[in-house]
Amino acid sequence: MRFARAVATPAAAIAGLLAGAIACAAAAQPAATPSPADGEPLYRADAPGTFELPVLYEAPDFEVRDAATGAPVALRTLRGRVVVLSLFYTHCPDGNACPLATATLRSAERALAEKGLAGRVTLLSVTFDEARDTPEVLRAHRDMVGAGPGWILATPETAERRAALLAAYDQRIARAPDGSIVHPLRVYVIDRRGRVRQIYSQSWLRADVLMSDVETLLAE
Amino acid sequence: MTLHRSATRVLSRALVALTASALVAAAPALADEPCQSPYMAKIVGQEDYVYVWTLGDPALGAQSDSLVTIDANPASATYGKVLSRAEVGSINEAHHGGLTDDRARLWLGGLDSSRIFVFDVATDPAKPKLVRTIDNTTEVTGGLAGPHTFIALPGRMLVAFLSSKDGSGKTGMAEFTNDGRYVRTIWMPADAPYGYDARPSAKLNRLLTSSFTGKNVYMTELPKVLATPELMKQFGDSMIVWNLHTMKPLQTFRVGGAPLEIRWASSPENDWAVSTTALDHKMVLVKRKPDGTFEAKTVADVGEILPVDLSLSADDKHLYVTGFMTGELKHYDMSDPEKPVLVETINLGPQANMVSQSWDGKRIYVTGSLLSKWDKPDAKWWMKKFTLGPDGKLAEEKGFEVDFSKLGRPHQMNFGSKALYGEAGGVDRVASLGAPASAAR
């Protein structure tokens, strides 16, 4: 009974995805080119600095509240750092959406630490379900996914500020009758000058590609 | 007698070649549901709407290009009827269009004016509203003209052009944000400068492009093009494999005259794409090799039909090829993509162009207009619907046919659904497609 309930929770889905992502990262190491039947990634991330990321637009400023510290966080105060911005909600039932973003950010946080880049990058996950994702819920979520100090989980606190943030980043959401939120998955990479340089959705989001893009921007 | 036949055949070939060029412009880049961008939610159930980008034609009483919305849901009281018609205020050589990754906006291009029209299809999906017109496309892109293929990338649009400001076929691609802000231009390589379709494969991190001709040719009357050797030389013959992440070209294939539409296989286990060459009617398979590079090979001759559009089912089994010159719809079994098998040929006559099918492969829609200067004098303007039966054959749904004789010449079809925007039933009818790139299957 308890097991059955646990499996049905987003937490379990995330745990499963985290395990999958880690296994996947390990499997991606061999040099042989995988075939589709192998169930492995079919391409290797491009080496950092071997490509340019176009400037998509100036990242609109916003203010949210860090659920762990209670401190306000304004995007403008993060200039000089690369910011990985993920818009999400903790109740997301689609393992290919928010839990994927969470798993990818966790992999990225570890990779950044290993490369000594943690101090130059901020991972910022902002909920668009501020009514249910209270600071307490977000803190519990932090613990569950094992977020470290370089990863801020935050809330816009009010529906008005959430709507303004989503409009500014062209992220549409719609509430379904069952309480779930219909939304495209979006993760944005913002460069040290405050410009959006990459947008990922679920078919594009991979920790190794994210790391390659972040390192490319850090080298500019 | 023999001589006469032979001469007719040569003429017919020339005509086919001409038509093929025209085809390119008309072919939809991402119309049908299985062939939509991999970065987009898919309508996996019954579509509610078919959005038809329709060329204005004063002879029909249509003084402007328009977006015509058809009720496509058999459960609706207005099934098969025109729900709305939104004029853009000018005639631009309406051709192709594509939806943004969130399917909130439908981008539509004019091959002559180079204008891009952005419609809001989310607020009222039964009545799309024009929210932005990009009038200065050629200026902001540094010289591109003839916006043709509109493909969603995450949070932005990739537009493949046919031409440039001098009217030649030297062209490229440009990226815009979903709300229409210019991002960058990527010119085609100097040794393969033509453009047409651009199709991403998310799982392979590859983009595949094809090639047609420039405005000087596609805006010239077809008989004149056919009679002018200098114009007939101005068609591309290449397909290019790009690194999608870096947008750098990796391999160029010379596949034959004017390879137009490209369709990637959708099944996770498949890593190939198919195209047809308009001028020499080959079916071309572009397949990934064990070393990760690609090879291109001719796998079939589709006949002198001037193949213009393609639609490949989500299970990669059924391929539909429309022939502009003969008005035929050819149905191939692609179970072995190296050996396509012709299942049936359906006569739509006198010309056919766009073909789009639903995700489940059960409903197939066809329209007939290609280009204002290339359409035949006796062409009729309609949208027809076919269903794929349990016997694996197509049957026309009689009584559905939508009459466009007073609306304009119908081109590309895109699908819409109320369920996309959070209404009840959305979970069953809309799939958030795309296996996560990093998760094990």
Side-chain angles (χ1 to χ4, degrees):
Chain A
M1 172 93 175
R2 284 179 63 195
F3 177 76
R5 276 184 61 197
V7 168
T9 62
I14 288 173
L17 256 178
L18 288 172
I22 291 160
C24 202
Q29 295 306 319
T33 306
S35 82
D38 296 336
E40 294 173 15
L42 293 172
Y43 65 93
R44 300 168 76 83
D46 298 290
T50 62
F51 55 91
E52 289 181 13
L53 293 172
V55 175
L56 296 175
Y57 50 88
E58 296 292 322
D61 193 28
F62 58 85
E63 270 192 38
V64 290
R65 190 166 299 279
D66 185 334
T69 66
V73 178
L75 181 66
R76 62 182 177 275
T77 64
L78 299 174
R79 286 285 167 90
R81 304 167 65 86
V82 169
V83 177
V84 180
L85 171 66
S86 173
L87 302 176
F88 86 117
Y89 74 117
T90 64
H91 291 77
C92 186
D94 180 356
N96 290 346
C98 302
L100 171 67
T102 301
T104 305
L105 262 60
R106 192 176 106 143
S107 296
E109 187 179 37
R110 290 183 170 186
L112 289 167
E114 284 167 12
K115 291 172 182 265
L117 299 172
R120 303 175 66 192
V121 179
T122 295
L123 307 179
L124 178 56
S125 293
V126 179
T127 180
F128 46 70
D129 190 14
E130 71 289 337
R132 285 188 291 182
D133 285 342
T134 61
E136 295 72 28
V137 170
L138 291 176
R139 283 197 294 273
H141 196 71
R142 276 191 67 88
D143 294 343
M144 185 190 73
V145 302
W151 185 359
I152 298 170
L153 275 74
T155 169
E157 297 185 294
T158 67
E160 291 72 24
R161 282 167 63 179
R162 176 248 301 159
L165 170 62
L166 294 184
Y169 283 82
D170 197 30
Q171 164 92 56
R172 283 159 193 267
I173 66 170
R175 206 168 283 274
D178 65 358
S180 66
I181 296 175
V182 179
H183 69 97
L185 174 66
R186 293 273 172 82
V187 175
Y188 307 76
V189 182
I190 299 165
D191 70 13
R192 293 181 293 170
R193 293 165 60 184
R195 304 173 302 183
V196 175
R197 302 292 294 275
Q198 181 64 284
I199 304 171
Y200 308 105
S201 60
Q202 60 192 21
S203 300
W204 191 230
L205 184 59
R206 262 174 45 172
D208 56 349
V209 175
L210 173 66
M211 282 299 298
S212 175
D213 287 346
V214 167
E215 290 184 67
T216 296
L217 295 179
L218 285 173
E220 284 185 341
Chain B
M1 176 89 173
T2 308
L3 248 178
H4 174 76
R5 255 193 206 152
S6 166
T8 306
R9 191 167 169 76
V10 169
L11 243 183
S12 141
R13 275 202 181 130
L15 257 176
V16 169
L18 218 86
T19 311
S21 301
L23 247 200
V24 172
L30 23 139
D32 47 342
E33 207 56 27
C35 307
Q36 291 280 4
S37 163
Y39 303 109
M40 185 187 297
K42 305 295 189 293
I43 303 168
V44 296
Q46 172 66 50
E47 56 280 0
D48 292 316
Y49 313 108
V50 178
Y51 302 121
V52 188
W53 183 212
T54 302
L55 173 69
D57 179 351
L60 303 176
Q63 307 297 331
S64 166
D65 295 342
S66 61
L67 180 60
V68 177
T69 301
I70 309 291
D71 186 334
N73 192 333
S76 166
T78 49
Y79 173 55
K81 304 280 191 246
V82 175
L83 293 176
S84 63
R85 178 172 179 269
E87 294 195 343
V88 300
S90 51
I91 292 179
N92 306 273
E93 194 68 38
H95 216 78
H96 286 191
L99 293 149
T100 52
D101 63 341
D102 56 7
R103 293 186 87 125
R105 300 184 190 90
L106 176 59
W107 285 48
L108 302 168
L111 287 184
D112 188 21
S113 69
S114 291
R115 288 192 188 99
I116 294 172
F117 304 96
V118 182
F119 276 80
D120 169 7
V121 293
T123 304
D124 182 353
K127 196 174 180 185
K129 186 183 172 196
L130 180 63
V131 290
R132 180 163 189 165
T133 300
I134 305 174
D135 273 318
N136 57 349
T137 312
T138 301
E139 185 185 326
V140 298
T141 58
L144 297 177
H148 181 264
T149 298
F150 295 82
I151 284 279
L153 298 179
R156 54 194 185 270
M157 291 295 285
L158 177 68
V159 184
F161 289 75
L162 296 181
S163 195
S164 47
K165 61 184 173 188
D166 64 0
S168 76
K170 174 182 164 57
T171 193
M173 299 176 278
E175 284 181 40
F176 296 83
T177 61
N178 278 356
D179 57 359
R181 286 172 282 176
Y182 169 75
V183 174
R184 66 167 162 174
T185 297
I186 300 133
W187 289 90
M188 304 302 278
D191 61 348
Y194 293 94
Y196 179 79
D197 203 356
R199 297 284 178 154
S201 169
K203 71 181 178 192
L204 300 174
N205 184 32
R206 293 293 178 265
L207 180 77
L208 194 54
T209 58
S210 56
S211 48
F212 182 43
T213 190
K215 193 169 157 182
N216 291 341
V217 176
Y218 67 72
M219 289 308 294
T220 297
E221 303 285 350
L222 188 57
K224 185 176 176 188
V225 175
L226 293 175
T228 312
E230 193 48 45
L231 294 180
M232 288 303 291
K233 287 180 196 160
Q234 298 175 31
F235 288 91
D237 65 352
S238 50
M239 295 182 75
I240 300 174
V241 178
W242 304 68
N243 179 318
L244 177 60
H245 183 217
T246 66
M247 289 302 278
K248 290 177 182 170
L250 300 173
Q251 286 179 273
T252 300
F253 300 111
R254 305 286 173 184
V255 300
L260 301 186
E261 294 294 319
I262 299 167
R263 299 291 177 264
W264 282 104
S266 300
S267 305
E269 69 273 20
N270 284 337
D271 52 4
W272 49 266
V274 66
S275 184
T276 48
T277 59
L279 297 182
D280 50 12
H281 45 86
K282 294 176 190 166
M283 188 188 298
V284 177
L285 182 72
V286 179
K287 192 171 184 339
R288 186 173 176 264
K289 296 192 290 185
D291 68 359
T293 64
F294 285 79
E295 61 183 341
K297 57 172 100 168
T298 299
V299 291
D301 183 334
V302 300
E304 294 177 2
I305 63 173
L306 213 166
V308 277
D309 197 16
L310 300 177
S311 178
L312 180 62
S313 59
D315 62 5
D316 306 332
K317 295 284 193 288
H318 301 273
L319 178 71
Y320 304 110
V321 184
T322 49
F324 173 78
M325 191 52 85
T326 58
E328 286 172 316
L329 174 64
K330 290 194 152 190
H331 174 186
Y332 285 88
D333 179 349
M334 298 297 284
S335 297
D336 179 355
E338 310 255 353
K339 293 178 180 132
V341 176
L342 182 64
V343 176
E344 59 185 328
T345 300
I346 291 171
N347 249 307
L348 299 162
Q351 66 179 57
N353 185 20
M354 308 305 287
V355 54
S356 297
Q357 69 182 301
S358 55
W359 179 262
D360 59 16
K362 291 177 182 166
R363 299 170 300 285
I364 294 92
Y365 303 90
V366 190
T367 59
S369 174
L370 179 59
L371 284 164
S372 62
K373 306 281 191 187
W374 292 19
D375 284 337
K376 298 178 182 179
D378 57 345
K380 301 283 186 286
W381 308 122
W382 38 251
M383 182 176 87
K384 295 177 194 251
K385 179 183 176 185
F386 292 81
T387 52
L388 182 67
D391 61 349
K393 299 281 185 68
L394 293 177
E396 184 173 359
E397 184 178 316
K398 302 288 184 189
F400 175 86
E401 182 172 324
V402 181
D403 177 14
F404 273 75
S405 64
K406 293 184 173 60
L407 301 174
R409 305 189 199 179
H411 283 259
Q412 186 157 32
M413 297 162 282
N414 277 274
F415 297 161
S417 167
K418 288 181 261 196
L420 286 164
Y421 311 105
E423 294 193 18
V427 179
D428 293 338
R429 295 172 57 192
V430 180
S432 58
L433 186 100
S438 63
R441 289 196 181 90

